[in-house]
Each structure stands twice: as structure tokens, then as C-alpha cells.
Amino acid sequence: MNGKKSNPLVKGALILTIAGVLSKILSAGYRIPLQNITGDIGFYIYQQVYPILGMAMMLALYGFPSAISKLGADIQAKGENVSFRHFYVPLFFILLTINGIIFIILFSSAEILATYIGDEQLYPIYQLTAFVFLLVPFLALLRGGFQASGDMHPTAISQIGEQLIRVSIIICAAVYISFYGMDLYMVGYAAIYASFAGGIVASIILIWFWFKKKPTYHIGGSLVPWKPYIKTVFIFGMVASLNHMILLLIQVVDVFTLVPSLVEYGYTQEQAKKWKGIFDRGYPLVQFGTVLGSSFSLAIIPTLSKQKSNKNVHILSDLQSAIRMSFYIASGAMIGLIVIFPEVNILLFQDDYGTTSLQILACSILLSSLTITSVTILQGIGDVKKSAFLIGIALLLKWYLNVFLVSHWGITGSALATIFSLLALCILAIYILKRKLPLFSLFKSIHWQAFFMASISMIVFLLGMKWILPATITLSRLSLLMMTLFIVVIGGSLYLFILIRCHAFTKQEISVLPFSDKLSRWMKGEHRDE
């Protein structure tokens, strides 16, 4: 019976994971043509708005829907019906109150924020950004309602639809602004309108599913348990969603501190904006690598909740497996990107500005992947408040280091500040995880010989191909694209092949990877040799 019940749960988590990966790939990918079209200044303007918009999207996608689905699942577990009047109406009121407060704070402080950042032209853009939070209650309630009944499809499809509309509008607007020579600050307005349009499309998709399924909700019910509702929505909804916002929050710190610190470093205001845009080139690539390294962690929480209640003895093995896979995949993405970043910078962004600083920033792929996976595990075993406290410490450290290091070393200082803050967060999260689960050990679970063999082989291959193939400056952009894709695919395959042949992965871990049937043959071949 338990096995039959768990299958829809795992399947639903997998659907959300796949949708999340596709959505994040879209989110990372469109910013590259955006930079190409609008330049570093246009990209700077967009990146001054994007982290705030991203936080609204995360609350509407992960935080609040998770809280609503948890409350609904708890009610149904007691054998009671979900009441429309005493469940959905009060939850909507709570969501509207929380997001209304965020709206008021952001709208009223927009001028102060723009002045502090040193760019008063962002003032009306920040005011408009505040309105996006008013869409959150509608999206979160609809998604949470479906998830409470175990149906993840509406959330997944609405997420993809929202991103497709948002990305399409932003790129089209960027082309229009560039073609007609309009003020580049229109990019900021375009980002907000695109978020509105994406949210409206997501709402239409969710409403369509609602009418299609015609769910019936119990009208009556007991008195509204306001205290548990508010506590769950705030703690599980807002605090737990911080895990999905780690990279966004890091970028928020850059929004407030980087330009003023670059001016203190010695740049003019316009130069500081340009170098902020150059530094922001690294985040789409870091985000893409982090998606590869941490996507499995999204499926952990429902499994953990079930295993925790059943006191499943396999929980430790599953946790170590998740974090070990994050380490291997994120490490490969990080090492490969660092080696070929000079070519990637020219290929994607048309020049090599900031290459060294962005190579340092690339190290955050591994740290953010391990951190997200570790914090997800902590939240899954009940340490929600503690994980939020750790994230707060990391952000304060990032803020302090940005102010101190950027004024001395420019954007290299900001890259180092990101690395140090994520490193501190990662160490603290793993330390607490070790205290909660004494038998847990990250370093002992990693097959170090296989990892070093795979890493060194990939580095040698990438460097060798860069030496053999023509110099970057002599290649057209299309030729550089073909060359980069070739060495990335072959280098990544070589890395993965050696890991598998040297038994870095178990058969169960390989089974969740793409093309698992073909990959498992590499492992079987090694077994036959033995």
C-alpha cells in the first residue's frame, strides 16, 4: 500500500524537477542574447531588476505553493475534507496580506533604493516592480491547491508557459529597443511587463486546468486555524523558499553594493555600470551549472518526509547519494567552464572582458550546488529555521566582503566575496547535517581516485584541443561555436565515462541520469573485465 502511494509522490516530484530544470535553462539562456542585443549597460539595467522579479517568481512557484500543499495534505491525512471557506479563502487573505506588505515596502522605498544604488533612473522601475508581487497570491493559491491533491502537472505546465512568454517578450523588446535606438532603461520596464504577461498566462493555464478537472471543495468546515496557517505560510512558505533563492539573493547584494563600490574603486558612474554588466555575465553560466549539479535535490523533500515518518534505514544512503551526485556533476561543470571560459566569453558575449574574475566566479557552481542540496536536506529533515539563519549569515558576509573587496580589487573582489560567502554557507550546512546525521560523511562517500582521474583527463583534453585548434581571434563566431560545442561534449563525455568506469556512481545513481541505459553499459563493461 505504501509503495503504491509513494509512486505518485515521487512521480510528481520528478515532474516538478524536470519543469524546474527546463525553466531554469530558459532563464539562464535568454540573458546571453539579451546582453548581445543591448550591450553591457543594457544587461546591467536588466540585472538590477531581475533578482527582485526572480524572488517574486520563486515565492509563487516554490515557497507558498509548498506551504499550501502541506496544509492541505495534513488536513486530508486526518480524513477531513478541504474546505473552500475555511481553507482557501483564509489562505488567500494571508497571501494577499504578506505580498501586500512587500508591495508597500518596495513601492514606498523605491526612491531610497535607487539613490542608495547610485542610479536614480531606476526609481520608477523599482516602483513598477512592486506590482509583480500582487500576482503572487493568485498563482500560489492555484498551484498549491493542485499540489495538495497530488497533481503536479498544472504547476509544471504553468511554469514552462510563464517562462516561454516572459523570455519571448524580453527578447523581442530588446530587439525593438536596440533597433530604434531607444533609451536602454526601457529594458527594465520590458522585464517587468514580461513578468506580468508571464504571470497572467500562468494564471490562465491554471484556471483552465481548474475548470477541466472541476474539483469539488467542501463548503463547510470548522473554525479557521489562523495561527497554524500563518505560521506555515510564513515559515514553510517564505523561509523555506530561501533555498531556491540563494543565487538570486547573492545577486541582490550585488544590486545594492557593486556599483557604489566600483565607483569607490576608481571608475566613473558609467564605467561602474558597464563593469557591473560584465560581472553579471557570469551568473547565467553559474545558474546553468548549478541546475545541472542540484536539480536532483528538488525531488528529495517529499521522499525525505515519507522516510522520516517511516524511520527508513535507507535515508542516509539516499542523502549521501544525492549530495555525491551534486559534487560530481557540479565539479565537472565548474572545471570545464574555468578551462574554456576565454573561448566561452568571446563566443557568448563577443569580447573577453572580465575573464579572470568570471573564472573565479565559476567556482560558485560547485559551492552553490552543494549548498542547495545540503540546505534542501536540512529542510527535509525539519531544520527549516536553521537553514534560513545560515543563508542570512552568508548574505551578510557577502555584503561586507563586497564593500571591502570591490573597493580594492574591482569585480574580482565581488567574485571572491561570492565564493567566500557560499563556501561559509556550504561548510556550515554540511557541518549541521553531520551533527544531525552522525554517520553522514561527504568526503568519505566520494571516490576521490576516480574524481581526480576524470578531472585531470578532462583538463588535459580541453587544453590539448585548445592548443591544437586555431586561435580564438582567427575564428568566426560560428566556427568558434562549433569548436566550443565539440570540445565541451567530448570533454564532458570523457569526464563522465571515467567516473562510471571507475565506479564513482552506483547503478541506482546511473539510473536517474539521462541515457541511463547506454551509460550503464560502461559500468557493465568494467564489471565484465573484473
Side-chain angles (χ1 to χ4, degrees):
M1 181 69 72
N2 288 340
K4 290 180 181 178
K5 287 183 178 179
S6 68
N7 286 335
L9 184 67
V10 175
K11 184 179 179 181
L14 181 61
I15 289 170
L16 287 184
T17 300
I18 293 171
V21 170
L22 292 175
S23 179
K24 288 177 182 177
I25 288 173
L26 281 171
S27 180
Y30 79 88
R31 282 180 278 177
I32 294 168
L34 178 64
Q35 186 275 343
N36 283 209
I37 296 167
T38 63
D40 290 317
I41 295 293
F43 195 49
Y44 148 79
I45 294 166
Y46 177 77
Q47 282 292 122
Q48 293 297 90
V49 179
Y50 166 74
I52 300 174
L53 296 175
M55 290 169 66
M57 287 188 289
M58 290 297 104
L59 289 173
L61 182 62
Y62 294 115
F64 293 136
S66 297
I68 294 167
S69 65
K70 182 179 185 300
L71 287 169
D74 290 344
I75 290 173
Q76 293 172 23
K78 297 175 183 177
E80 300 176 5
N81 292 319
V82 174
S83 166
F84 185 83
R85 183 184 301 169
H86 295 88
F87 182 78
Y88 288 94
V89 171
L91 283 174
F92 180 77
F93 178 78
I94 293 169
L95 290 172
L96 193 60
T97 301
I98 292 174
N99 286 277
I101 292 171
I102 296 173
F103 163 79
I104 293 170
I105 292 173
L106 183 55
F107 186 86
S108 60
S109 62
E111 186 173 10
I112 298 173
L113 295 179
T115 303
Y116 181 85
I117 291 167
D119 191 347
E120 294 183 359
Q121 288 178 274
L122 292 172
Y123 162 47
I125 297 176
Y126 284 146
Q127 277 194 322
L128 194 59
T129 302
F131 286 91
V132 176
F133 284 90
L134 298 181
L135 280 175
V136 173
F138 300 94
L139 291 169
L141 190 68
L142 288 168
R143 285 168 172 161
F146 282 113
Q147 291 178 34
S149 61
D151 188 359
M152 307 298 182
H153 287 88
T155 296
I157 294 173
S158 67
Q159 181 183 4
I160 298 297
E162 179 181 5
Q163 283 286 36
L164 285 173
I165 295 299
R166 194 173 68 87
V167 168
S168 299
I169 291 176
I170 290 173
I171 295 300
C172 289
V175 172
Y176 184 85
I177 291 167
S178 178
F179 184 80
Y180 286 99
M182 299 174 68
D183 184 357
L184 285 176
Y185 279 85
M186 292 301 295
V187 172
Y189 292 102
I192 299 166
Y193 294 138
S195 293
F196 268 114
I200 291 170
V201 168
S203 299
I204 292 171
I205 292 172
L206 291 165
I207 291 170
W208 180 81
F209 271 104
W210 191 85
F211 279 110
K212 181 182 177 183
K213 293 181 181 293
K214 295 182 175 62
T216 56
Y217 299 119
H218 186 62
I219 302 300
S222 57
L223 293 175
V224 176
W226 286 103
K227 188 174 180 180
Y229 280 7
I230 294 172
K231 182 179 179 181
T232 302
V233 169
F234 184 78
I235 295 178
F236 197 84
M238 290 195 69
V239 178
S241 64
L242 292 176
N243 180 31
H244 300 283
M245 298 184 189
I246 290 174
L247 286 177
L248 280 174
L249 293 170
I250 291 289
Q251 292 176 68
V252 168
V253 176
D254 285 332
V255 165
F256 289 113
T257 61
L258 193 48
V259 169
S261 297
L262 286 172
V263 170
E264 188 177 344
Y265 176 67
Y267 289 134
T268 64
Q269 190 73 19
E270 285 302 306
Q271 288 174 328
K273 293 177 184 179
K274 178 179 175 64
W275 279 100
K276 168 67 165 57
I278 290 171
F279 181 73
D280 284 334
R281 295 177 182 183
Y283 281 118
L285 301 174
V286 168
Q287 181 178 334
F288 183 75
T290 302
V291 167
L292 293 177
S294 65
S295 58
F296 298 99
S297 67
L298 294 176
I300 290 175
I301 290 181
T303 306
L304 277 183
S305 299
K306 180 176 183 298
Q307 290 180 338
K308 182 183 175 186
S309 62
N310 293 341
K311 296 185 167 88
N312 194 313
V313 295
H314 299 294
I315 184 172
L316 185 63
S317 175
D318 292 341
L319 298 186
Q320 294 205 150
S321 178
I323 204 164
R324 182 168 60 244
M325 290 191 73
S326 289
F327 176 85
Y328 288 141
I329 296 172
S331 294
M334 176 192 71
I335 294 168
L337 182 60
I338 290 173
V339 174
I340 65 169
F341 206 101
E343 290 73 27
V344 169
N345 204 5
I346 294 173
L347 170 65
L348 299 181
F349 304 108
Q350 306 178 78
D351 58 54
D352 62 351
Y353 292 146
T355 293
T356 301
S357 300
L358 297 178
Q359 283 175 312
I360 295 172
L361 184 64
C363 295
S364 60
I365 292 174
L366 174 60
L367 295 173
S368 60
S369 297
L370 289 178
T371 297
I372 290 172
T373 305
S374 301
V375 172
T376 300
I377 293 171
L378 282 176
Q379 292 178 353
I381 60 179
D383 266 350
V384 176
K385 295 179 182 178
K386 194 171 291 184
S387 62
F389 177 71
L390 295 181
I391 293 172
I393 291 176
L395 293 177
L396 289 175
L397 181 60
K398 163 69 175 173
W399 191 296
Y400 172 78
L401 291 176
N402 249 25
V403 172
F404 177 74
L405 295 177
V406 174
S407 59
H408 291 83
W409 295 334
I411 62 171
T412 301
S414 186
L416 290 171
T418 298
I419 297 303
F420 289 145
S421 59
L422 286 174
L423 179 61
L425 178 56
C426 185
I427 291 173
L428 288 171
I430 292 176
Y431 171 74
I432 293 176
L433 198 57
K434 175 71 174 176
R435 291 191 62 184
K436 296 284 289 187
L437 302 168
L439 296 179
F440 171 83
S441 175
L442 168 63
F443 297 107
K444 288 182 180 179
S445 68
I446 294 170
H447 194 317
W448 289 105
Q449 183 179 359
F451 171 69
F452 285 125
M453 285 179 60
S455 300
I456 292 170
S457 299
M458 180 173 64
I459 292 171
V460 170
F461 170 79
L462 293 176
L463 291 176
M465 294 304 297
K466 288 173 62 174
W467 182 72
I468 293 171
L469 294 173
T472 302
I473 57 174
T474 65
L475 295 174
S476 66
R477 205 171 184 192
L478 179 60
S479 299
L480 182 58
L481 172 63
M482 300 306 294
M483 183 192 90
T484 304
L485 286 176
F486 171 76
I487 64 175
V488 166
V489 171
I490 301 301
S493 299
L494 176 64
Y495 175 80
L496 188 60
F497 175 79
I498 294 175
L499 284 178
I500 293 174
R501 292 286 287 188
C502 295
H503 301 288
F505 297 108
T506 65
K507 290 183 179 180
Q508 290 76 16
E509 290 168 350
I510 291 176
S511 68
V512 302
L513 293 173
F515 311 109
S516 57
D517 292 340
K518 294 180 180 180
L519 295 177
S520 61
R521 293 173 191 168
W522 296 348
M523 176 178 276
K524 288 178 182 177
E526 180 67 18
H527 280 300
R528 283 196 296 269
D529 292 340
E530 290 177 349

